[in-house]
Amino acid sequence: MTAPVITVDGPGGAGKGTLCHLLARHLGWHLLDSGALYRVTAQACLQAGVAWEDEAGAAAIAMALDVVFRPAPEGAVSVLLGGEDVSRAIRTEEGGRGASMVAAYPQVRSALLDRQRAFRRAPGLVADGRDMGTVVFPDAPLKIFLTASAEERARRRHLQLLEKGESVSLPRLLEDIRERDARDSRRAVAPLMPADDALHVDSTSIPVAGVVRRVLRVAVERG
Ligand code: C5P
């Protein structure tokens, strides 16, 4: 029997990362942060000097990616690229922009498909991304589409960056978020969109604990 999967898709900053992390911990399941795979691919392209316009070059990098996800203290995950810890480097705004550029290439997406599906192991998987429910795990028994307004997502991101000691202007963040949403939603392959059978949750005014409770309740109802 294949292991069950809960897919969580939605735009950046809606709280998918926190939701997935808490769900995986609560259920004792594996976690796939698919965004990290696209971010690492972009980072590897940068390191190898592959231009953003070079789809075949980026796909070759994605195919040969030497990446390891290693659990770190406090539930965080360290990302090692060729043995080097790139966890911080890939989480910058620039890293996100690069990821969304390489993620628009069909050849890159197909190069990363099997790698993502390999995360599906017993007792189960919580998969975080943009196309988890539509493309990577279309047979998942529970699919969540998590959203929040762009303004609220920019506000949350701004707070996170301030906590890390980085100062970025809020209007600039909002502009970046809107630009990334547009690129992710309009691309030809695996655009950001809810699966037909996804449960829509708007986290704009619900704290993450409330979202987790709601999803767990549905997960239990569906067995
Ligand atoms: O989720 P995260 O912000 O880390 O994702 C970075 C970028 O990777 C997204 O903006 C999106 O362009 C891309 N991505 C994707 N498909 C996924 C996960 C992420 O296209 N399943």
PDB file of all heavy atoms in Angstrom, residues 7-9 127 130-140 142-144 193-197:
ATOM      1  N   THR A   7      -1.174  17.054   1.070  1.00  0.00           N
ATOM      2  CA  THR A   7      -0.496  18.090   0.285  1.00  0.00           C
ATOM      3  C   THR A   7      -0.960  19.461   0.766  1.00  0.00           C
ATOM      4  O   THR A   7      -2.133  19.655   1.091  1.00  0.00           O
ATOM      5  CB  THR A   7      -0.803  17.956  -1.217  1.00  0.00           C
ATOM      6  OG1 THR A   7      -2.216  18.083  -1.426  1.00  0.00           O
ATOM      7  CG2 THR A   7      -0.329  16.626  -1.759  1.00  0.00           C
ATOM      8  N   VAL A   8      -0.010  20.390   0.834  1.00  0.00           N
ATOM      9  CA  VAL A   8      -0.339  21.766   1.224  1.00  0.00           C
ATOM     10  C   VAL A   8       0.258  22.692   0.167  1.00  0.00           C
ATOM     11  O   VAL A   8       1.480  22.822   0.054  1.00  0.00           O
ATOM     12  CB  VAL A   8       0.216  22.105   2.626  1.00  0.00           C
ATOM     13  CG1 VAL A   8      -0.167  23.539   3.006  1.00  0.00           C
ATOM     14  CG2 VAL A   8      -0.303  21.128   3.681  1.00  0.00           C
ATOM     15  N   ASP A   9      -0.606  23.275  -0.654  1.00  0.00           N
ATOM     16  CA  ASP A   9      -0.156  24.197  -1.697  1.00  0.00           C
ATOM     17  C   ASP A   9      -0.673  25.594  -1.396  1.00  0.00           C
ATOM     18  O   ASP A   9      -1.631  25.769  -0.642  1.00  0.00           O
ATOM     19  CB  ASP A   9      -0.688  23.740  -3.064  1.00  0.00           C
ATOM     20  CG  ASP A   9      -0.041  22.446  -3.525  1.00  0.00           C
ATOM     21  OD1 ASP A   9       1.202  22.401  -3.572  1.00  0.00           O
ATOM     22  OD2 ASP A   9      -0.766  21.479  -3.823  1.00  0.00           O
ATOM     23  N   ALA A 127       3.443  17.237   2.287  1.00  0.00           N
ATOM     24  CA  ALA A 127       4.189  17.834   1.173  1.00  0.00           C
ATOM     25  C   ALA A 127       3.802  19.288   0.974  1.00  0.00           C
ATOM     26  O   ALA A 127       2.628  19.604   0.771  1.00  0.00           O
ATOM     27  CB  ALA A 127       3.928  17.036  -0.098  1.00  0.00           C
ATOM     28  N   ARG A 130       3.655  24.145  -4.440  1.00  0.00           N
ATOM     29  CA  ARG A 130       2.707  24.874  -5.287  1.00  0.00           C
ATOM     30  C   ARG A 130       1.867  23.911  -6.125  1.00  0.00           C
ATOM     31  O   ARG A 130       0.763  24.250  -6.532  1.00  0.00           O
ATOM     32  CB  ARG A 130       3.462  25.795  -6.265  1.00  0.00           C
ATOM     33  CG  ARG A 130       4.418  26.789  -5.623  1.00  0.00           C
ATOM     34  CD  ARG A 130       3.636  27.859  -4.897  1.00  0.00           C
ATOM     35  NE  ARG A 130       4.503  28.941  -4.419  1.00  0.00           N
ATOM     36  CZ  ARG A 130       5.373  28.868  -3.431  1.00  0.00           C
ATOM     37  NH1 ARG A 130       5.515  27.739  -2.778  1.00  0.00           N
ATOM     38  NH2 ARG A 130       6.104  29.914  -3.077  1.00  0.00           N
ATOM     39  N   ASP A 131       2.466  22.724  -6.407  1.00  0.00           N
ATOM     40  CA  ASP A 131       1.804  21.766  -7.308  1.00  0.00           C
ATOM     41  C   ASP A 131       1.766  20.378  -6.691  1.00  0.00           C
ATOM     42  O   ASP A 131       1.748  19.380  -7.404  1.00  0.00           O
ATOM     43  CB  ASP A 131       2.559  21.714  -8.640  1.00  0.00           C
ATOM     44  CG  ASP A 131       4.003  21.244  -8.457  1.00  0.00           C
ATOM     45  OD1 ASP A 131       4.523  21.320  -7.328  1.00  0.00           O
ATOM     46  OD2 ASP A 131       4.614  20.784  -9.443  1.00  0.00           O
ATOM     47  N   MET A 132       1.801  20.313  -5.372  1.00  0.00           N
ATOM     48  CA  MET A 132       1.825  18.999  -4.708  1.00  0.00           C
ATOM     49  C   MET A 132       0.532  18.222  -4.989  1.00  0.00           C
ATOM     50  O   MET A 132       0.553  17.041  -5.313  1.00  0.00           O
ATOM     51  CB  MET A 132       2.011  19.172  -3.186  1.00  0.00           C
ATOM     52  CG  MET A 132       3.309  19.845  -2.775  1.00  0.00           C
ATOM     53  SD  MET A 132       4.763  18.864  -3.167  1.00  0.00           S
ATOM     54  CE  MET A 132       5.290  19.629  -4.663  1.00  0.00           C
ATOM     55  N   GLY A 133      -0.605  18.917  -4.871  1.00  0.00           N
ATOM     56  CA  GLY A 133      -1.896  18.243  -5.057  1.00  0.00           C
ATOM     57  C   GLY A 133      -2.293  18.092  -6.516  1.00  0.00           C
ATOM     58  O   GLY A 133      -3.090  17.224  -6.864  1.00  0.00           O
ATOM     59  N   THR A 134      -1.748  18.946  -7.386  1.00  0.00           N
ATOM     60  CA  THR A 134      -2.161  18.908  -8.794  1.00  0.00           C
ATOM     61  C   THR A 134      -1.269  18.014  -9.646  1.00  0.00           C
ATOM     62  O   THR A 134      -1.743  17.343 -10.553  1.00  0.00           O
ATOM     63  CB  THR A 134      -2.135  20.330  -9.405  1.00  0.00           C
ATOM     64  OG1 THR A 134      -0.873  20.927  -9.078  1.00  0.00           O
ATOM     65  CG2 THR A 134      -3.267  21.196  -8.878  1.00  0.00           C
ATOM     66  N   VAL A 135       0.042  18.001  -9.378  1.00  0.00           N
ATOM     67  CA  VAL A 135       0.981  17.304 -10.275  1.00  0.00           C
ATOM     68  C   VAL A 135       1.770  16.196  -9.575  1.00  0.00           C
ATOM     69  O   VAL A 135       1.848  15.074 -10.071  1.00  0.00           O
ATOM     70  CB  VAL A 135       1.986  18.313 -10.889  1.00  0.00           C
ATOM     71  CG1 VAL A 135       3.042  17.606 -11.722  1.00  0.00           C
ATOM     72  CG2 VAL A 135       1.266  19.362 -11.720  1.00  0.00           C
ATOM     73  N   VAL A 136       2.353  16.515  -8.427  1.00  0.00           N
ATOM     74  CA  VAL A 136       3.303  15.560  -7.833  1.00  0.00           C
ATOM     75  C   VAL A 136       2.572  14.401  -7.139  1.00  0.00           C
ATOM     76  O   VAL A 136       2.922  13.242  -7.325  1.00  0.00           O
ATOM     77  CB  VAL A 136       4.280  16.284  -6.869  1.00  0.00           C
ATOM     78  CG1 VAL A 136       5.317  15.305  -6.316  1.00  0.00           C
ATOM     79  CG2 VAL A 136       4.992  17.429  -7.597  1.00  0.00           C
ATOM     80  N   PHE A 137       1.529  14.715  -6.367  1.00  0.00           N
ATOM     81  CA  PHE A 137       0.774  13.667  -5.669  1.00  0.00           C
ATOM     82  C   PHE A 137      -0.728  13.836  -5.944  1.00  0.00           C
ATOM     83  O   PHE A 137      -1.505  14.114  -5.016  1.00  0.00           O
ATOM     84  CB  PHE A 137       1.044  13.735  -4.158  1.00  0.00           C
ATOM     85  CG  PHE A 137       2.493  13.643  -3.788  1.00  0.00           C
ATOM     86  CD1 PHE A 137       3.182  14.762  -3.304  1.00  0.00           C
ATOM     87  CD2 PHE A 137       3.199  12.450  -3.914  1.00  0.00           C
ATOM     88  CE1 PHE A 137       4.526  14.682  -2.963  1.00  0.00           C
ATOM     89  CE2 PHE A 137       4.540  12.364  -3.576  1.00  0.00           C
ATOM     90  CZ  PHE A 137       5.210  13.484  -3.102  1.00  0.00           C
ATOM     91  N   PRO A 138      -1.151  13.675  -7.209  1.00  0.00           N
ATOM     92  CA  PRO A 138      -2.567  13.934  -7.516  1.00  0.00           C
ATOM     93  C   PRO A 138      -3.524  12.988  -6.797  1.00  0.00           C
ATOM     94  O   PRO A 138      -4.706  13.281  -6.686  1.00  0.00           O
ATOM     95  CB  PRO A 138      -2.632  13.754  -9.043  1.00  0.00           C
ATOM     96  CG  PRO A 138      -1.408  13.000  -9.411  1.00  0.00           C
ATOM     97  CD  PRO A 138      -0.372  13.274  -8.390  1.00  0.00           C
ATOM     98  N   ASP A 139      -3.001  11.827  -6.306  1.00  0.00           N
ATOM     99  CA  ASP A 139      -3.877  10.867  -5.616  1.00  0.00           C
ATOM    100  C   ASP A 139      -3.896  11.078  -4.102  1.00  0.00           C
ATOM    101  O   ASP A 139      -4.423  10.247  -3.369  1.00  0.00           O
ATOM    102  CB  ASP A 139      -3.411   9.438  -5.928  1.00  0.00           C
ATOM    103  CG  ASP A 139      -1.990   9.176  -5.427  1.00  0.00           C
ATOM    104  OD1 ASP A 139      -1.198  10.150  -5.341  1.00  0.00           O
ATOM    105  OD2 ASP A 139      -1.661   8.016  -5.109  1.00  0.00           O
ATOM    106  N   ALA A 140      -3.320  12.185  -3.613  1.00  0.00           N
ATOM    107  CA  ALA A 140      -3.283  12.412  -2.157  1.00  0.00           C
ATOM    108  C   ALA A 140      -4.701  12.435  -1.586  1.00  0.00           C
ATOM    109  O   ALA A 140      -5.583  13.073  -2.152  1.00  0.00           O
ATOM    110  CB  ALA A 140      -2.586  13.738  -1.858  1.00  0.00           C
ATOM    111  N   LEU A 142      -5.753  13.871   1.108  1.00  0.00           N
ATOM    112  CA  LEU A 142      -6.146  15.170   1.682  1.00  0.00           C
ATOM    113  C   LEU A 142      -5.269  16.264   1.078  1.00  0.00           C
ATOM    114  O   LEU A 142      -4.040  16.212   1.162  1.00  0.00           O
ATOM    115  CB  LEU A 142      -5.997  15.153   3.213  1.00  0.00           C
ATOM    116  CG  LEU A 142      -6.321  16.471   3.930  1.00  0.00           C
ATOM    117  CD1 LEU A 142      -7.719  16.972   3.602  1.00  0.00           C
ATOM    118  CD2 LEU A 142      -6.167  16.318   5.445  1.00  0.00           C
ATOM    119  N   LYS A 143      -5.933  17.239   0.452  1.00  0.00           N
ATOM    120  CA  LYS A 143      -5.212  18.343  -0.196  1.00  0.00           C
ATOM    121  C   LYS A 143      -5.696  19.663   0.396  1.00  0.00           C
ATOM    122  O   LYS A 143      -6.905  19.909   0.442  1.00  0.00           O
ATOM    123  CB  LYS A 143      -5.496  18.348  -1.703  1.00  0.00           C
ATOM    124  CG  LYS A 143      -5.085  17.067  -2.395  1.00  0.00           C
ATOM    125  CD  LYS A 143      -5.474  17.082  -3.853  1.00  0.00           C
ATOM    126  CE  LYS A 143      -5.134  15.747  -4.508  1.00  0.00           C
ATOM    127  NZ  LYS A 143      -5.570  15.685  -5.904  1.00  0.00           N
ATOM    128  N   ILE A 144      -4.741  20.469   0.807  1.00  0.00           N
ATOM    129  CA  ILE A 144      -5.079  21.770   1.383  1.00  0.00           C
ATOM    130  C   ILE A 144      -4.560  22.855   0.433  1.00  0.00           C
ATOM    131  O   ILE A 144      -3.441  22.740  -0.083  1.00  0.00           O
ATOM    132  CB  ILE A 144      -4.365  21.962   2.756  1.00  0.00           C
ATOM    133  CG1 ILE A 144      -4.626  20.766   3.691  1.00  0.00           C
ATOM    134  CG2 ILE A 144      -4.766  23.285   3.402  1.00  0.00           C
ATOM    135  CD1 ILE A 144      -6.050  20.586   4.103  1.00  0.00           C
ATOM    136  N   MET A 193      -2.125  26.663  -8.484  1.00  0.00           N
ATOM    137  CA  MET A 193      -3.595  26.665  -8.483  1.00  0.00           C
ATOM    138  C   MET A 193      -4.087  25.520  -7.604  1.00  0.00           C
ATOM    139  O   MET A 193      -3.385  24.528  -7.426  1.00  0.00           O
ATOM    140  CB  MET A 193      -4.162  26.538  -9.895  1.00  0.00           C
ATOM    141  CG  MET A 193      -3.812  25.263 -10.569  1.00  0.00           C
ATOM    142  SD  MET A 193      -4.695  25.185 -12.129  1.00  0.00           S
ATOM    143  CE  MET A 193      -4.374  23.534 -12.623  1.00  0.00           C
ATOM    144  N   PRO A 194      -5.295  25.682  -7.052  1.00  0.00           N
ATOM    145  CA  PRO A 194      -5.787  24.611  -6.186  1.00  0.00           C
ATOM    146  C   PRO A 194      -6.189  23.384  -6.997  1.00  0.00           C
ATOM    147  O   PRO A 194      -6.677  23.521  -8.125  1.00  0.00           O
ATOM    148  CB  PRO A 194      -7.014  25.239  -5.508  1.00  0.00           C
ATOM    149  CG  PRO A 194      -7.375  26.429  -6.318  1.00  0.00           C
ATOM    150  CD  PRO A 194      -6.179  26.838  -7.123  1.00  0.00           C
ATOM    151  N   ALA A 195      -5.982  22.189  -6.427  1.00  0.00           N
ATOM    152  CA  ALA A 195      -6.529  20.981  -7.050  1.00  0.00           C
ATOM    153  C   ALA A 195      -8.048  21.073  -6.928  1.00  0.00           C
ATOM    154  O   ALA A 195      -8.563  21.737  -6.024  1.00  0.00           O
ATOM    155  CB  ALA A 195      -6.012  19.745  -6.304  1.00  0.00           C
ATOM    156  N   ASP A 196      -8.758  20.405  -7.851  1.00  0.00           N
ATOM    157  CA  ASP A 196     -10.230  20.463  -7.820  1.00  0.00           C
ATOM    158  C   ASP A 196     -10.790  20.011  -6.474  1.00  0.00           C
ATOM    159  O   ASP A 196     -11.814  20.503  -6.022  1.00  0.00           O
ATOM    160  CB  ASP A 196     -10.820  19.561  -8.919  1.00  0.00           C
ATOM    161  CG  ASP A 196     -10.550  20.149 -10.298  1.00  0.00           C
ATOM    162  OD1 ASP A 196     -10.259  21.358 -10.370  1.00  0.00           O
ATOM    163  OD2 ASP A 196     -10.593  19.382 -11.282  1.00  0.00           O
ATOM    164  N   ASP A 197     -10.105  19.013  -5.886  1.00  0.00           N
ATOM    165  CA  ASP A 197     -10.626  18.453  -4.640  1.00  0.00           C
ATOM    166  C   ASP A 197      -9.920  19.009  -3.405  1.00  0.00           C
ATOM    167  O   ASP A 197      -9.929  18.386  -2.341  1.00  0.00           O
ATOM    168  CB  ASP A 197     -10.500  16.917  -4.667  1.00  0.00           C
ATOM    169  CG  ASP A 197      -9.106  16.439  -5.082  1.00  0.00           C
ATOM    170  OD1 ASP A 197      -8.297  17.273  -5.544  1.00  0.00           O
ATOM    171  OD2 ASP A 197      -8.834  15.237  -4.944  1.00  0.00           O
TER     172      ASP A 197
END
